[in-house]
Amino acid sequence: MQAALMVGVGLLVTGPLAGQWPLAVEDAVSRGLAAHRGGPALPLSQGLSLLASTSSIIALTVLAVTAMLALSRGRWLREAGFLAGAVAVQSAVFLLVTLLVERPRPHVPQLDAAPPTSSFPSGHVGAAVALFGGLAVLAVLRGRPGLPWLRHALTAALLVVPVLVACSRVYRGMHHPSDVVGGLLNGACTLLVLAHALLLPARTRTAAHTAAVDRPRPRPAPGGRQAVVVRHPHGCTPELAERVRHTLLRHGYADQVWTQTSAEHPAGALARRIDEVDPALVVACGGDGTVRACADLLAHTGIPLAVVPCGTGNLLAHNLRLDADPATALEAALAGGTARIDLGRIRGDGPRPARFAVMAGAGFDAAMVAGASDRVKRRLGWAAYAVSAVRHLGDPRMRLSIRLDGGPVRERLARMVVVGNVGALQGGLPLLPDAHADSGRLEVVLLDPRGVRGWLAAAGHLVARMLPGARPAPACPNPGRTVPAQPAPAHGRGPVAGGALEYFSAERVDIRFGRPQPYELDGDVMSAATRLTAEVEPGALRIWLPPRAPDDAPAERTVRPRTAPAGEPAPRVPDLDGG
């Protein structure tokens, strides 16, 4: 979205707005500055340009990251990843924009050497914002509470540097004023995205854990019912695991069995536990992959699932309107009741059949997921998918055919096909605006943008659906509701955004590819297949959800175990994995 935003601004600057004020007077500004060059401004501007050059930015970033890791003895890994990621991401967006936006440099004598790239946006300014602005963000969020005046002075000095670099680039004839504004925007957007992904969640977890430690230790209820907790070792930290234990105890789940996921067993030992005894509750403490693995085993069993969203995407939790804080989401859900939601079941000529709770996709979608490694996802969070997506914007189109509910075969060329049980992506971007988890149907979208205009049209259409009043959000399941909340829509929705997007709706979707394509299920990449069949399983999963507003739908509260009385001894928490 950031790259699309920058490309859109660049095309506006070089297109319909080029003759409008203030862009129309930019050449006059550049000529006026060139005519009055001299004095101390020349060496000062030269030093600022050298400070923001590629070699200087790389050297200073390496030095800052090394110093942070050495001084903190590895504790500032997120902070170091934030700073290095900010510099790298803004550079990637800058290079992409310069490939798609062509703007010549000002027609005045230029005092610095420059590569033959577009003048929009300014790479020097974007890099300066990423580095020095990133250090300012760290000073605000991670600075010591002592000597606040020193921290404020340091932050102000760091924030002034990119502005001075912007002025120097215009003064030296290297950029138009709008180019440096574009560089400031690119760097600021990068800092906002990475700070949200890496720094703010860490602050929330730390504060919440401190509060949990300070509270009196909860006591279990004698004879409490059993809860099986499936824990992802990276997503669910020890601090979060302790908060989950306490939350379950407060709701009467004294008998807790914990099992850890692995690559070979994405649901841990949950299958064995279900075979031995029906637990009263299963808690998925991880991301969408962990939730999917648990949902696959719990489908049609009636055993309820509670989600602790602590993975990279957490799209199911977002679409079900669970709280962003993992432990708070569990607390709120157990204070509500259970509802039935649909699952999708997919089979093909490759792997065994599997279920999904969020989406299944092939083409650009699968390539983006596959390109985001676990290591990068742990460091950047969901921003890793955005970085991966930029690398696959030019991937070739697929030849495919699609058949809905046994109807006629439709031949298509597309860069991506997605079949969804729910429809919102990160930030609420409505990829499938008509999808909701208890509709009894699956929604399908084909993405086939042609060139830059096609990508912008697709992005603009999706972003417009987020605007207030554009379209009501899909209904969220309410505790106690077991039938679809809305009438079934027609099969065909048709193309939108000039054909860049095409929507369908069906209970069964048959897809055949011209050649084998890998596909993804809720963020897990599967081996290639030439045929896929996706079918909806209405109401297959029973899930705990927070209470909804009274006018949403009548809620039928599920009876919960009684609250644990004070004075009872703490229970033994067994571990299926032998830990």
Side-chain angles (χ1 to χ4, degrees):
M1 290 181 63
Q2 178 182 339
L5 170 66
M6 294 304 303
V7 170
V9 172
L11 294 178
L12 289 175
V13 168
T14 58
L17 299 183
Q20 305 295 322
W21 190 91
L23 300 180
V25 301
E26 286 191 316
D27 288 336
V29 172
S30 297
R31 289 193 298 268
L33 290 174
H36 295 85
R37 290 173 182 161
L42 277 176
L44 178 60
S45 65
Q46 182 181 18
L48 288 167
S49 287
L50 289 174
L51 180 65
S53 65
T54 301
S55 56
S56 298
I57 290 293
I58 293 176
L60 291 173
T61 302
V62 171
L63 180 62
V65 168
T66 303
M68 281 192 289
L69 294 177
L71 295 176
S72 68
R73 298 181 180 179
R75 293 192 301 272
W76 276 32
L77 186 60
R78 282 179 174 270
E79 289 76 4
F82 161 75
L83 189 63
V87 174
V89 169
Q90 75 81 27
S91 297
V93 174
F94 159 75
L95 291 174
L96 177 63
V97 175
T98 57
L99 291 176
L100 301 176
V101 178
E102 297 182 4
R103 191 185 200 194
R105 297 187 183 273
H107 299 294
V108 297
Q110 298 165 6
L111 302 184
D112 295 329
T117 57
S118 172
S119 183
F120 181 93
S122 171
H124 281 63
V125 175
V129 174
L131 176 58
F132 297 102
L135 291 172
V137 171
L138 293 176
V140 171
L141 297 181
R142 297 292 189 267
R144 295 185 177 181
L147 299 176
W149 64 269
L150 180 61
R151 182 174 58 177
H152 296 332
L154 176 62
T155 302
L158 290 169
L159 292 177
V160 166
V161 173
V163 177
L164 295 177
V165 170
C167 295
S168 73
R169 297 300 286 171
V170 175
Y171 180 79
R172 298 180 69 80
M174 304 309 299
H175 291 288
H176 305 277
S178 58
D179 300 333
V180 299
V181 172
L184 292 170
L185 178 62
N186 184 31
C189 287
T190 303
L191 292 179
L192 179 64
V193 170
L194 292 187
H196 183 272
L198 294 177
L199 301 183
L200 298 183
R203 293 187 77 201
T204 302
R205 283 194 296 269
T206 302
H209 174 59
T210 302
V213 170
D214 292 340
R215 287 196 298 265
R217 185 176 183 87
R219 299 295 183 181
R225 295 189 295 175
Q226 183 181 91
V228 177
V229 182
V230 180
R231 178 193 173 209
H232 191 286
H234 300 298
C236 184
T237 63
E239 294 83 3
L240 176 58
E242 188 65 19
R243 295 178 65 196
V244 170
R245 284 191 174 96
H246 281 62
T247 300
L248 292 174
L249 286 175
R250 282 197 301 274
H251 287 270
Y253 293 98
D255 185 4
Q256 298 178 28
V257 178
W258 287 66
T259 179
Q260 187 165 292
T261 68
S262 65
E264 298 77 17
H265 302 285
L270 177 61
R272 176 161 61 88
R273 193 63 192 177
I274 293 176
D275 289 339
E276 293 173 353
V277 59
D278 287 344
L281 173 69
V282 172
V283 179
C285 193
D288 287 317
T290 303
V291 174
R292 183 188 70 81
C294 294
D296 199 3
L297 295 172
L298 296 177
H300 306 292
T301 65
I303 300 173
L305 175 71
V307 177
V308 180
C310 54
T312 304
N314 305 317
L315 290 182
L316 181 64
H318 171 73
N319 280 270
L320 296 179
R321 304 179 195 173
L322 300 184
D323 196 278
D325 178 70
T328 303
L330 177 63
E331 180 73 49
L334 295 181
T338 60
R340 293 277 184 174
I341 66 169
D342 307 335
L343 294 176
R345 188 172 187 269
I346 197 164
R347 54 186 171 85
D349 54 0
R352 64 177 181 83
R355 294 182 175 90
F356 62 93
V358 182
M359 299 175 189
F364 174 73
D365 180 47
M368 175 187 67
V369 172
S373 67
D374 291 338
R375 180 176 59 86
V376 176
K377 286 191 291 186
R378 285 197 294 270
R379 293 186 177 183
L380 299 184
W382 64 265
Y385 292 126
V387 175
S388 177
V390 173
R391 298 200 300 265
H392 293 283
L393 288 175
D395 285 2
R397 301 155 77 196
M398 304 178 294
R399 186 175 297 278
L400 59 88
S401 64
I402 184 170
R403 190 178 186 185
L404 309 170
D405 291 335
V409 175
R410 307 164 191 250
E411 303 287 343
R412 294 291 189 271
L413 284 172
R415 295 185 184 275
M416 177 182 79
V417 56
V418 171
V419 181
N421 185 44
V422 294
L425 302 180
Q426 291 290 349
L429 189 70
L431 179 64
L432 294 163
D434 293 318
H436 49 102
D438 59 349
S439 66
R441 303 181 69 80
L442 296 174
E443 301 295 323
V444 186
V445 63
L446 297 178
L447 174 69
D448 188 30
R450 310 290 178 88
V452 176
R453 292 183 181 275
W455 283 104
L456 291 176
H461 176 80
L462 295 177
V463 171
R465 304 295 284 266
M466 301 172 61
L467 299 178
R471 186 179 185 90
C476 188
N478 286 274
R481 191 167 68 201
T482 58
V483 296
Q486 300 178 11
H491 286 177
R493 299 288 174 78
V496 297
L501 295 162
E502 187 173 9
Y503 289 98
F504 305 97
S505 178
E507 297 178 11
R508 170 178 168 145
V509 182
D510 295 288
I511 304 172
R512 183 185 293 269
F513 300 103
R515 58 181 180 178
Q517 296 287 341
Y519 63 100
E520 63 89 13
L521 296 179
D522 293 359
D524 293 332
V525 180
M526 306 297 176
S527 58
T530 56
R531 297 190 309 273
L532 292 175
T533 296
E535 297 178 273
V536 67
E537 295 185 344
L541 181 65
R542 188 175 164 213
I543 190 167
W544 279 95
L545 295 176
R548 302 299 178 195
D551 56 349
D552 283 346
E556 295 179 9
R557 293 289 297 277
T558 301
V559 178
R560 302 194 308 273
R562 64 186 180 90
T563 304
E568 298 290 346
R572 180 180 67 87
V573 180
D575 193 323
L576 281 175
D577 300 316

